[in-house]
Amino acid sequence: MKITTFSPLVVTNNIDKNVRLFEALGFKAAHKQNPEANIYDFTMKDADGHQIDIAKANVEQDLTLIRMNVSDFDEAFEMLQEQGFVLKSGRVIETESSRSAMVVSPTGFAFDLCQHKK
């Protein structure tokens, strides 16, 4: 399994407040998706190369996950299931550009497992 990126991810209802917080900490938006399509997902980086992702979703309170982008979704998903991880939402989300799923460990921490389509 090849991991292509590995970084913290904050999932929030209040994306603007969280983006402003990380801007105050020296982060700048390096990538953001299409707000016209109601997709709000920011990748922010600081001058030292540290990265954080912030995504908008309908959640009761902010969630902190680990975003793990991989080259082979199926291989990574199978390996995590063998380690006891389960789908949080019960489904894999597939878009034109990616496959992703929130998987939770037996002890409670979560990955946003993602493969970007080429």
Side-chain angles (χ1 to χ4, degrees):
M1 177 182 76
K2 181 179 180 192
I3 297 172
T4 56
T5 60
F6 198 86
S7 60
L9 165 65
V10 174
V11 179
T12 182
N13 270 323
N14 195 340
I15 198 162
D16 294 331
K17 182 178 179 181
N18 282 282
V19 167
R20 284 192 307 273
L21 167 66
F22 284 95
E23 285 174 338
L25 293 169
F27 287 78
K28 295 186 186 315
H31 171 74
K32 61 182 173 182
Q33 295 202 13
N34 188 351
E36 289 78 30
N38 202 28
I39 298 171
Y40 297 91
D41 189 348
F42 289 79
T43 296
M44 302 183 76
K45 294 183 180 179
D46 72 2
D48 293 321
H50 300 110
Q51 178 175 310
I52 186 158
D53 295 307
I54 304 172
K56 185 173 183 175
N58 186 19
V59 291
E60 288 183 31
Q61 65 182 45
D62 291 355
L63 302 172
T64 305
L65 295 83
I66 300 169
R67 176 166 280 170
M68 182 168 57
N69 293 334
V70 295
S71 60
D72 186 327
F73 181 91
D74 293 327
E75 177 186 21
F77 187 70
E78 183 178 324
M79 188 276 298
L80 290 170
Q81 284 184 309
E82 288 170 359
Q83 298 295 319
F85 282 76
V86 295
L87 279 170
K88 178 67 174 177
S89 68
R91 66 188 175 99
V92 174
I93 298 168
E94 187 135 6
T95 69
E96 289 181 19
S97 61
S98 68
R99 290 176 72 198
S100 66
M102 182 178 166
V103 293
V104 180
S105 76
T107 59
F109 77 89
F111 284 117
D112 173 36
L113 179 64
C114 184
Q115 177 186 358
H116 291 283
K117 297 176 183 175
K118 297 179 175 149

